[in-house]
């Protein structure tokens, strides 16, 4: 009887630990995703700002850079 009760307690603690580990992994994945989203959003804003400033100076703008930054941001946004 005592061994059975102790075994049940160990199993319950193991289940709780597995659930906690799973929750921790989900939280970390979410933090990583939003960190990547923020980084791509920042890169997109910088590329857009640089394009606007270059245009104001009368310089040619490489729209491929802006498009690439926008696509990277859109991809991360769709994942978020």
């Amino acid at each position: 009887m005592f061994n059975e009760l102790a075994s049940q307690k160990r199993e319950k603690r193991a289940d709780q630990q597995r659930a906690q580990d799973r929750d921790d992994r989900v939280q970390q994945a979410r933090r990583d995703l939003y960190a990547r989203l923020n980084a791509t959003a920042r890169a997109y804003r910088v590329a857009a700002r640089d394009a606007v400033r270059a245009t104001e100076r009368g310089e040619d703008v490489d729209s491929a850079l802006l498009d690439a930054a926008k696509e990277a941001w859109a991809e991360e946004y769709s994942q978020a």
Side-chain angles (χ1 to χ4, degrees):
M1 181 72 165
F2 176 75
N3 287 337
E4 185 178 319
L5 186 58
S7 177
Q8 288 174 352
K9 284 184 178 183
R10 278 193 303 272
E11 186 61 34
K12 183 177 179 180
R13 274 183 292 202
D15 288 344
Q16 289 172 337
Q17 184 62 43
R18 282 190 292 273
Q20 181 64 44
D21 291 346
R22 186 175 46 252
D23 290 345
D24 290 347
R25 284 191 306 273
V26 167
Q27 276 296 99
Q28 186 60 47
R30 185 176 292 133
R31 282 191 292 271
D32 292 345
L33 175 63
Y34 283 106
R36 288 191 315 269
L37 177 62
N38 286 337
T40 56
R42 187 171 29 258
Y44 180 37
R45 285 191 310 270
V46 168
R49 185 194 64 218
D50 290 349
V52 168
R53 289 184 177 160
T55 302
E56 290 172 344
R57 291 188 304 265
E59 299 172 359
D60 289 334
V61 175
D62 185 3
S63 62
L65 292 175
L66 185 57
D67 289 341
K70 181 180 178 183
E71 300 250 344
W73 169 79
E75 178 63 28
E76 287 298 330
Y77 185 82
S78 71
Q79 297 297 316

